[in-house]
Amino acid sequence: MNRLTLKLILPPCAAVIAAVTDVSIAGVHAPETALPDSVYFKTGQTSFTEKYVFAIHQGRIYYRANPDHGGLPERWQPFPPDGLPGRTGLRGFKSPESVSYLSADGDNLIALDADGAVYYAKLYDFVWTDVWGLFPKGTLKVPEGARALAVSHRGKNGVKYYEDTSGQKHEMSVGVTTLYLLDRDGGRCLYADPWLPPEFDHHICLPLKGRFVAENLSASGSTLFVSDRSGRMFTRLYDYDTAGENPLLPYTYEKIPPGEPGLRNRRALPAEDWLEQPPVPGRRTEIITIAQNGEGNSARELRVEGIDAAGVTGYYTKPLHGGRWKFVKTGHRLVGTVRNARTAAVEGKRITADYSGDIRNRCGGGVLSASLKEFSFYCEGGTLQTAAEGVTHSIPLHLRRVSRGKDSVSAEGALVLPDSLKNAHGGGAAALRRLLFGSGSVLAVRVAGRGDTVTLSARCVEMIFTQSAQH
């Protein structure tokens, strides 16, 4: 069998630890070498939540109370039942011989066996399962060669609520678990959700319209943190619910005035975009971590492993929103590799494309030339552009619920009236508003792609675009 390779499982625990004692339960011997004195990062071999810290040693998971918050156990112990995922009295459950990777956040802990199978436990009951998904159920496997993997939990006892892009708070009735994956080349971010089929079949467009090549990924409370080799870093709140994918939740692209009774229970779309974080002011490694530390969207701490001007190891830290990086000295042995400050950013292959075509009014006649700029089903839409009387009008097109067939792809789309067009008078602005939006501000469209053609259909309007030659 092929062993799972995760490039960001960097040094084994034994490379960064010293001797410790008093770690044993019946049938499980104490480690010959130490578990970490402190856990500062989520690396695949170590992780932490508000309550606990975790580490893999000799293929088993050990845990103890997070010393920042107290609790039990105070010393390292094998995670129940014996440091390996296990279930007593359950038919069909097969415990792995060892674990190779772990990730924790909120009430979630996941572990991988040597073949990449995902085991999942809740930290309020310590009960393991090897089943992922509802319809169908099955084993979730991590593709070989993935660069990074991070579990996230947005729970009612942790962050408690999230604020949509209109600023409305939505309280948590149940938790949201997401398992994010960075692929082998660092150009694709995928995710799996335990309420969905056991596959990494949902795509998140990385920064720079998908051209960002990520070296590492961390996640907490549905917030992603990615970095590249040059030190550029971005964060984004994104999961199945906030992206508008959940068919059980109401959403709207309409602007929601504060306290508007007809819209206040709906969740505003589009989802939050990527936010670029400032570079750290010193030497760093590729090890990054994000951790939830309170309620709401902003309650996240960012950490980047590094070295200060005096050569002392530690990490740079800042709040998710605002604030400046400050350095925390730890004196720990580096987990990652120091990066050259002069390393240039590398952008990946363009995954968006430009299209040309027209807008047809099937009810009252008339054709209007138009184009579709930087469009991709994998990057949540693009921009519709038209020009008249020397004036160019740009209208954002947002996508969600993308469905991929054998040789076609489709999605729910929405054209949203921008303020620039709403307030414009020349360049055919009034005619364009009437054609697309009538008296409203959002046009729902069905978007279909086949070959090099993209079609947008709604009411009496049909738009057909053909991919332009790329240079």
Side-chain angles (χ1 to χ4, degrees):
M1 295 184 182
N2 293 327
R3 289 185 62 86
L4 176 77
T5 301
L6 282 163
K7 293 183 180 179
L8 286 180
I9 299 178
L10 291 160
C13 288
V16 294
I17 50 185
V20 74
T21 58
D22 297 324
V23 182
S24 64
I25 59 173
V28 180
H29 300 292
E32 296 176 1
T33 56
L35 287 151
D37 290 332
S38 299
V39 173
Y40 303 109
F41 311 108
K42 300 180 179 184
T43 68
Q45 297 295 284
T46 61
S47 193
F48 62 87
T49 67
E50 181 182 24
K51 292 183 178 180
Y52 303 109
V53 295
F54 303 89
I56 294 177
H57 180 70
Q58 297 180 343
R60 293 178 184 261
I61 301 170
Y62 291 84
Y63 84 117
R64 71 179 184 190
N66 190 326
D68 292 337
H69 298 277
L72 297 172
E74 294 181 351
R75 297 179 177 180
W76 288 107
Q77 299 288 336
F79 189 83
D82 57 4
L84 296 174
R87 293 283 295 275
T88 58
L90 187 67
R91 290 185 179 181
F93 187 95
K94 183 179 179 181
S95 295
E97 295 181 359
S98 64
V99 296
S100 61
Y101 196 95
L102 65 78
S103 180
D105 187 57
D107 283 333
N108 289 342
L109 173 65
I110 65 104
L112 306 185
D113 69 11
D115 296 316
V118 174
Y119 294 82
Y120 174 37
K122 285 294 187 182
L123 297 177
Y124 52 72
D125 60 12
F126 291 13
V127 176
W128 286 103
T129 181
D130 58 353
V131 174
W132 192 273
L134 293 180
F135 306 105
K137 296 180 180 180
T139 300
L140 178 65
K141 285 205 170 186
V142 175
E144 187 174 0
R147 285 196 176 187
L149 187 74
V151 74
S152 158
H153 183 240
R154 185 161 58 84
K156 60 182 180 180
N157 295 321
V159 295
K160 291 189 177 180
Y161 63 87
Y162 92 95
E163 298 148 294
D164 66 23
T165 47
S166 74
Q168 287 197 118
K169 292 182 179 181
H170 299 276
E171 300 288 339
M172 302 293 301
S173 56
V174 294
V176 177
T177 292
T178 312
L179 186 55
Y180 301 97
L181 178 145
L182 188 62
D183 77 349
R184 179 190 296 271
D185 300 320
R188 297 182 72 207
C189 180
L190 308 170
Y191 72 88
D193 183 302
W195 290 77
L196 302 176
E199 298 174 332
F200 287 96
D201 60 353
H202 284 75
H203 186 276
I204 302 174
C205 184
L206 285 168
L208 310 180
K209 278 289 186 177
R211 299 192 69 175
F212 186 81
V213 179
E215 183 178 40
N216 202 354
L217 170 150
S218 184
S220 181
S222 295
T223 306
L224 290 150
F225 182 23
V226 295
S227 64
D228 71 1
R229 285 187 63 86
S230 74
R232 290 191 77 177
M233 295 173 289
F234 292 82
T235 53
R236 185 186 195 187
L237 177 68
Y238 193 102
D239 60 29
Y240 187 73
D241 287 6
T242 62
E245 302 291 318
N246 191 331
L248 302 178
L249 296 176
Y251 299 96
T252 182
Y253 286 96
E254 301 280 357
K255 290 186 177 180
I256 304 176
E260 175 63 36
L263 297 175
R264 64 187 180 190
N265 292 324
R266 299 186 186 182
R267 297 164 188 246
L269 294 175
E272 180 181 298
D273 203 355
W274 288 101
L275 172 68
E276 185 164 10
Q277 297 289 342
V280 298
R283 290 183 293 172
R284 61 170 186 88
T285 78
E286 76 280 19
I287 301 300
I288 61 173
T289 292
I290 183 171
Q292 54 184 282
N293 58 2
E295 299 177 8
N297 295 17
S298 296
R300 312 285 189 276
E301 178 196 2
L302 306 181
R303 294 182 181 183
V304 179
E305 185 184 42
I307 305 172
D308 71 3
V312 178
T313 60
Y315 59 88
Y316 295 91
T317 180
K318 72 178 291 291
L320 175 64
H321 296 134
R324 296 182 178 181
W325 292 104
K326 67 177 183 179
F327 191 78
V328 177
K329 298 180 180 180
T330 64
H332 73 278
R333 184 173 177 180
L334 287 178
V335 180
T337 303
V338 177
R339 292 296 184 231
N340 187 332
R342 295 184 295 276
T343 300
V346 176
E347 291 189 2
K349 182 179 178 181
R350 184 183 182 189
I351 68 171
T352 61
D354 296 333
Y355 295 75
S356 58
D358 52 49
I359 304 173
R360 300 174 181 268
N361 188 322
R362 295 180 296 187
C363 300
V367 178
L368 178 65
S369 295
S371 59
L372 196 55
K373 299 293 187 181
E374 290 192 297
F375 174 84
S376 172
F377 283 99
Y378 292 96
C379 271
E380 303 149 34
T383 302
L384 177 69
Q385 286 189 348
T386 66
E389 302 175 17
V391 178
T392 298
H393 300 293
S394 298
I395 304 171
L397 169 64
H398 303 291
L399 300 184
R400 63 188 180 122
R401 296 174 180 166
V402 176
S403 176
R404 298 172 181 84
K406 183 178 180 181
D407 55 1
S408 64
V409 59
S410 62
E412 295 180 20
L415 290 166
V416 180
L417 179 65
D419 289 339
S420 58
L421 178 57
K422 181 179 179 180
N423 300 322
H425 298 287
L432 183 60
R433 288 195 297 266
R434 287 194 301 270
L435 173 63
L436 294 180
F437 301 103
S439 60
S441 61
V442 176
L443 176 65
V445 293
R446 189 65 184 169
V447 186
R450 184 182 293 272
D452 61 357
T453 300
V454 174
T455 303
L456 282 65
S457 303
R459 295 198 302 259
C460 294
V461 178
E462 182 177 56
M463 309 174 217
I464 302 176
F465 299 96
T466 302
Q467 187 171 340
S468 307
Q470 303 296 308
H471 300 285

